[in-house]
Every structure is written in C-alpha cells, then in structure tokens.
C-alpha cells in the first residue's frame, strides 16, 4: 500500500507540477500575432484602440489575447482563429458571425446586443446583453438556450 501511494506521489510530481511551472505569458506587439488574428482584428475591430496584446503559453497550447481600450477582449488560438469575443459594456459587432446566427438574433432579439461570443469545436455560444445564452451549431442553426441560465432566472 505504501508503495502505491509513493508511486502516485512521484507521478504527480513528474506530470502535474511541470504543467504548472511551464505556464508563461508576456505582452507582445500586435504584429507578432498570427496572420489570421491580425486580419480578424483589422477587419472587424480596426476602429478600436488596442490596450495590449498578450501571448500565453503552456506545454500543451499557445493562446493570444487582444484587449481594447473600451474593454472588448478577443481570445485567439495558436493558429490565429478566434475562440471568444466579449465586451463588458459595449455591443459587439456581429459581422464575423454566420449569417444564420445574425438573422436569428435580429429577428428574435432586435432590442439586445451581443455581449459574449464563444466558438467551440461543434457549436457557437452567444450571450446577449439581457443575460440570455443561445447555442448554435457550426452551420449557424439555433439548437437551444443554455439551461443553466434559464434555471437561474426562474
């Protein structure tokens, strides 16, 4: 039994702690972003002033963050594809979203703005300024509301 505990502790030291130690982030110049990320920012957020650009690296992945003066933040993966766009107060532009998503939001929620948009492997999650979260598939078809949010509002 003591040997098993010892083996588990050694494995934790070997595999878990290095992951924590090898985390690194630093501020970089906008031009150091991947090309796709720079193009995305220039195309859809070019009229906003950038506060900072940051790279975060672990043993398993590299992420980039662009933070604007107005608080809007965009997170990119190592390829320069956006993962999440969020704003603490301003309405987000929607030009970069699938037209089906934009049409659904304009038709059903014309009085609300986009607050957070995140892209998963098989879905988009959209949060509106009223707190409602909607889930769409990769084609842009509405799937459902986020039930956690609905349960908290009832």
């Amino acid at each position: 039994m003591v040997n098993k505990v010892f083996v588990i502790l050694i494995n934790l030291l070997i595999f878990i702690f290095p992951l924590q130690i090898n985390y690194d982030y630093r501020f970089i110049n906008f031009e150091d972003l991947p090309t796709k990320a720079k193009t995305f920012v220039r195309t859809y957020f070019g009229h906003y002033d950038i506060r900072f650009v940051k790279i975060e690296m672990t043993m398993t992945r590299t992420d980039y963050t662009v933070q604007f003066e107005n608080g809007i933040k965009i997170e990119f993966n190592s390829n320069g594809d956006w993962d999440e766009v969020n704003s603490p107060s301003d309405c987000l532009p929607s030009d970069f979203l699938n037209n089906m998503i934009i049409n659904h939001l304009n038709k059903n929620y014309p009085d609300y703005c986009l607050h957070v948009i995140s892209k998963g492997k098989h879905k988009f999650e959209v949060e509106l300024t009223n707190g409602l979260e909607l889930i769409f598939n990769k084609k842009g078809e509405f799937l459902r509301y986020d039930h956690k949010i609905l349960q908290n509002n009832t």
Side-chain angles (χ1 to χ4, degrees):
M1 180 67 178
V2 173
N3 286 340
K4 286 184 180 181
V5 171
F6 182 72
V7 169
I8 291 171
L9 287 174
I10 293 298
N11 283 329
L12 283 173
L13 288 172
I14 292 172
F15 295 108
I16 301 298
F17 292 130
L19 293 177
Q20 301 299 319
I21 293 170
N22 288 320
Y23 174 79
D24 184 31
Y25 79 90
R26 60 182 156 58
F27 297 99
I28 61 172
N29 293 319
F30 177 78
E31 292 303 320
D32 295 330
L33 284 171
T35 301
K36 287 170 80 172
K38 288 187 289 192
T39 301
F40 182 85
V41 170
R42 287 178 179 137
T43 302
Y44 301 109
F45 296 87
H47 57 285
Y48 295 113
D49 293 325
I50 295 174
R51 178 178 293 160
F52 65 81
V53 179
K54 180 173 68 171
I55 183 172
E56 299 178 55
M57 298 172 287
T58 66
M59 288 182 67
T60 58
R61 63 182 288 147
T62 300
D63 295 310
Y64 299 89
T65 301
V66 176
Q67 176 91 36
F68 297 92
E69 291 293 339
N70 64 357
I72 291 176
K73 181 171 72 171
I74 308 172
E75 296 175 6
F76 298 96
N77 64 24
S78 60
N79 296 326
D81 296 314
W82 67 272
D83 288 329
E84 182 173 294
V85 182
N86 69 60
S87 173
S89 58
D90 290 351
C91 294
L92 291 171
S94 60
D95 301 351
F96 60 93
L97 284 176
N98 179 303
N99 283 335
M100 287 180 66
I101 295 174
I102 295 169
N103 292 339
H104 181 85
L105 296 175
N106 288 339
K107 178 182 175 189
N108 296 294
Y109 306 99
D111 298 330
Y112 299 103
C113 296
L114 294 173
H115 177 59
V116 179
I117 305 160
S118 59
K119 181 172 50 171
K121 190 172 185 177
H122 302 289
K123 64 182 178 180
F124 291 98
E125 295 183 28
V126 175
E127 181 181 337
L128 302 178
T129 50
N130 66 350
L132 190 62
E133 288 189 25
L134 300 93
I135 312 294
F136 297 86
N137 67 17
K138 280 294 188 182
K139 295 179 185 176
E141 298 166 332
F142 175 72
L143 297 175
R144 66 184 186 281
Y145 296 100
D146 185 333
H147 296 293
K148 294 178 288 193
I149 298 298
L150 293 176
Q151 290 172 353
N152 290 338
N153 290 335
T154 57

